[in-house]
């Protein structure tokens, strides 16, 4: 957690020391308030985060009252148990994220499983919980209406795109969640990775466009003949991304394929032991 930034009044933006795997972006998390603090996400599990939080709290005579988890991946929820042990905040996560947190041994730290879209009070203002599945089943965003600021976890990242694919992701839900947060007309987005987004409208429009473009690209490739997810991934991403991300890119392609299959636009069939996808509909282009 190198030096915290203060991107808006009453909001500190923190990161951790653990380097992410090659090609992956560093996680960011946020501390809200002045005396009774609320933390959104924790970064990776590491002792430095806990000790730096400790000195930050002592310096400001503050107390960590609440911790809200946007979703259960280890770069966002990894230090939950350690933070609970040291500061005993009340910990919130969405009930739809329970399985994922259980699988990572983190569910026991949660005090309150959120259902629906409640409001969580903070010194920076009331935080409205928004259910935004897609990156993971119980992913939430937090809407600080008072500052027209949205904390997006991994639904929207500051640079590039978030991973949406099996086993945790669902592209159809992801697209619906993007449309949902577009309606808010936020003025600031505090993402779980990458820089603070100061032009949310443009950023969100380009994200939606990017996903639709990728979908079109997959359909066009399938027009040339059936292909496996790996073949599609190679044709789309070769030379464009860090080799450490090829596996993730294939899963992202899978995410699109699952959506297209649900929509009846493609079908999968096993040919010679390989799962190939075939186009089912004529393309208007
Ligand atoms: Zn994630």
């Amino acid at each position: 957690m190198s030096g915290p930034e203060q991107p808006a009044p009453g909001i500190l933006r923190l990161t951790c020391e653990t380097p992410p795997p090659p090609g992956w972006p560093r996680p960011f998390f946020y501390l809200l308030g002045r005396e009774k603090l609320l933390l959104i996400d924790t970064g990776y599990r590491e002792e430095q985060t806990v000790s730096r939080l400790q000195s930050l709290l002592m310096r400001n005579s503050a107390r960590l009252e609440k911790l809200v988890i946007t979703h259960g991946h280890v770069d966002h929820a990894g230090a939950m148990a350690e933070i609970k042990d040291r500061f005993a905040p009340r910990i919130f996560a969405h009930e739809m994220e329970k399985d994922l947190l259980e699988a990572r041994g983190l569910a026991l730290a949660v005090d309150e499983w959120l259902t629906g879209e409640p409001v969580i009070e903070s010194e920076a203002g009331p935080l409205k919980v928004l259910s935004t599945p897609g990156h993971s089943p119980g992913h939430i965003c937090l809407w600080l209406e008072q500052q027209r600021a949205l904390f997006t976890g991994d639904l929207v990242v500051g640079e590039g795109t978030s991973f949406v694919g099996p086993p945790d992701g669902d592209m159809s839900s992801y697209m619906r969640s993007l449309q949902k947060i577009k309606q808010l007309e936020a003025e600031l987005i505090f993402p779980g990775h990458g820089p603070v987004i100061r032009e949310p409208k443009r950023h969100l429009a380009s994200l939606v466009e990017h996903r639709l473009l990728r979908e079109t690209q997959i359909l066009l490739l399938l027009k040339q003949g059936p292909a496996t997810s790996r073949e599609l991934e190679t044709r789309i991403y070769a030379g464009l991304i860090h080799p450490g991300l090829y596996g993730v890119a294939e899963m992202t392609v899978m995410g699109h394929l699952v959506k297209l299959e649900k929509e009846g636009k493609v079908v999968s069939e096993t040919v010679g032991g390989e799962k190939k996808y075939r186009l089912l509909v004529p393309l208007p282009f």
Side-chain angles (χ1 to χ4, degrees):
M1 195 163 74
S2 51
E5 309 161 42
Q6 187 167 12
I11 298 175
L12 281 187
R13 174 173 143 102
L14 316 167
T15 188
C16 39
E17 308 244 320
T18 305
W24 288 79
R26 176 178 291 278
F28 288 93
F29 42 105
Y30 298 87
L31 199 52
L32 276 60
R34 292 202 161 73
E35 289 172 356
K36 295 174 186 167
L37 305 181
L38 179 148
L39 183 66
I40 298 175
D41 286 348
T42 72
Y44 289 106
R45 177 184 184 184
E46 63 173 33
E47 184 46 41
Q48 294 97 317
T49 294
V50 178
S51 52
R52 286 184 188 182
L53 266 178
Q54 172 91 57
S55 52
L56 224 149
L57 294 176
M58 281 177 62
R59 217 169 37 240
N60 297 291
S61 311
R63 196 161 65 81
L64 185 63
E65 271 209 328
K66 294 172 186 168
L67 165 60
V68 189
I69 297 294
T70 61
H71 67 294
H73 291 154
V74 291
D75 51 340
H76 296 264
M80 267 167 79
E82 288 70 20
I83 287 177
K84 184 171 178 124
D85 280 353
R86 185 76 69 90
F87 311 110
R90 184 161 185 78
I91 302 187
F92 302 81
H94 200 275
E95 63 167 0
M96 294 296 287
E97 202 70 350
K98 200 170 186 174
D99 288 350
L100 203 152
L101 283 161
E102 253 163 18
R104 285 159 180 78
L106 293 166
L108 281 177
V110 176
D111 297 292
E112 191 170 330
W113 294 103
L114 301 165
T115 54
E117 299 191 320
V119 170
I120 299 172
E121 295 300 331
S122 85
E123 281 184 345
L127 277 174
K128 168 97 171 143
V129 172
L130 298 173
S131 169
T132 51
H135 174 73
S136 70
H139 188 289
I140 57 170
C141 289
L142 295 156
W143 174 227
L144 183 59
E145 189 167 12
Q146 224 158 286
Q147 301 196 28
R148 303 206 68 73
L150 185 68
F151 298 87
T152 53
D154 273 356
L155 178 74
V156 174
V157 293
E159 246 163 17
T161 54
S162 14
F163 168 59
V164 183
D168 304 329
D170 181 292
M171 191 63 76
S172 311
S173 314
Y174 180 80
M175 294 299 284
R176 275 196 298 276
S177 294
L178 272 189
Q179 297 295 354
K180 175 173 175 171
I181 62 157
K182 262 176 83 179
Q183 319 283 328
L184 297 170
E185 300 192 352
E187 285 170 14
L188 268 179
I189 286 182
F190 296 114
H193 300 276
V196 172
I197 299 162
R198 297 189 185 274
E199 287 185 280
K201 197 172 175 183
R202 210 176 64 175
H203 192 92
L204 292 174
S206 77
L207 274 188
V208 172
E209 193 186 338
H210 170 87
R211 297 287 172 177
L212 293 175
L213 216 68
R214 184 68 78 231
E215 194 171 294
T216 306
Q217 199 178 8
I218 290 171
L219 290 170
L220 280 171
L221 285 170
L222 290 177
K223 198 177 174 183
Q224 298 166 15
T228 64
S229 55
R230 169 59 60 88
E231 288 164 347
L232 292 168
E233 179 263 312
T234 310
R235 287 182 220 164
I236 294 170
Y237 293 99
L240 290 181
I241 54 171
H242 188 285
L245 293 177
Y246 284 157
V248 174
E250 186 185 350
M251 293 312 241
T252 302
V253 170
M254 286 286 301
H256 281 288
L257 289 168
V258 170
K259 173 175 180 283
L260 290 169
E261 211 173 357
K262 264 197 235 169
E263 292 169 358
K265 293 180 181 161
V266 306
V267 67
S268 61
E269 15 188 55
T270 304
V271 183
E274 276 189 322
K275 193 172 181 181
K276 292 219 175 205
Y277 292 83
R278 187 165 58 81
L279 191 63
L280 275 185
V281 288
L283 295 182
F285 36 79

